[in-house]
Amino acid sequence: DIQMTQSPSSLSAFVGDRVTITCRASQSVSTYLNWYQQKPGKAPKVLIYASSTLQSGVPSRFSASGSGTDFTLAISSLEPEDFATYYCQQTYDIPWTFGQGTKVEIK
Amino acid sequence: QLQLQESGSGLVKPTQTLSLTCAVSGDSISSGDFSWNWIRQPPGRGLEWIGYFYHTGSTYYNPSLKSRVTISADRSKNQFSLNLNSMTAADTAVYFCARGRQLWTHPFFDYWGQGAAVTVSS
């Protein structure tokens, strides 16, 4: 299985801060990398697919990049509704696997 | 607007079989280039992909669960189901169904159900 490792596991930030989350794959996943946002008690919501493509309806303050084994999700200016847990997912090889999550909390 | 809704047993005894159904409305599970997936999330933990049913009828499972899992579809009812046998406490989780979409050959989950909480306990 391809292991996905996110860092940090959690972070605290102020509204308006720029935040970056990284995701590293145990082997190359090309650009088969997605990012999801999950709020407590809710299902995840896709933000980014194919490494850098913004899903329809997702605010442009979210962006992502990377290929191969190293990926980054950035939020340019945190809004109150962005405090949540973020997961990366590889769909390069079955079984599709997720990172362990990064919890973004209010400072 | 596509909607997915999980239903089924919320409490399962150890060694028994979990049965969950995902009812799909707003589109047919037989149309389009989509996969119909199950994903689970143990309490306070991350996400684990269980497997999917493809619109052609083929299925793919996570090897870690393959010996215990079956995903099937009832096209007449526009729903798909998960059966997971030999349940243990480690299978306690929220179980989500989700549609898998491919754009430029890149799969991702674009619609999710709200999740069904399943507890394994005697």
Side-chain angles (χ1 to χ4, degrees), chain A residues 29-106:
Chain A
V29 297
S30 183
T31 56
Y32 288 75
L33 193 287
N34 308 316
W35 290 96
Y36 297 86
Q37 176 194 67
Q38 186 179 33
K39 296 182 179 178
K42 300 293 187 181
K45 167 190 168 184
V46 65
L47 301 174
I48 303 280
Y49 63 91
S51 176
S52 61
T53 303
L54 201 65
Q55 169 71 335
S56 175
V58 174
S60 59
R61 62 180 179 274
F62 291 94
S63 64
S65 62
S67 66
T69 61
D70 294 313
F71 302 86
T72 301
L73 173 71
I75 310 172
S76 60
S77 179
L78 269 176
E79 295 288 339
E81 61 267 29
D82 300 336
F83 292 94
T85 300
Y86 294 83
Y87 293 93
C88 62
Q89 177 207 23
Q90 67 81 19
T91 53
Y92 178 78
D93 194 20
I94 284 177
W96 296 339
T97 49
F98 294 85
Q100 82 280 13
T102 295
K103 187 173 184 178
V104 177
E105 298 176 301
I106 301 173

Side-chain angles (χ1 to χ4, degrees), chain A residues 1 31-34 36 38 41-46 49-51 53 55 87 89 91 94-96 98-100, chain B residues 35 37 39 41 45-49 52 60-63 96 101 103-110 112-114:
Chain A
D1 298 5
T31 56
Y32 288 75
L33 193 287
N34 308 316
Y36 297 86
Q38 186 179 33
K42 300 293 187 181
K45 167 190 168 184
V46 65
Y49 63 91
S51 176
T53 303
Q55 169 71 335
Y87 293 93
Q89 177 207 23
T91 53
I94 284 177
W96 296 339
F98 294 85
Q100 82 280 13
Chain B
S35 62
N37 295 262
I39 300 107
Q41 185 170 37
R45 298 183 62 185
L47 299 158
E48 180 181 31
W49 174 75
Y52 72 65
Y60 285 87
Y61 302 130
N62 191 320
F96 296 99
R101 183 179 183 185
L103 289 175
W104 308 311
T105 79
H106 288 67
F108 61 98
F109 302 142
D110 62 346
W112 296 65
Q114 64 185 27

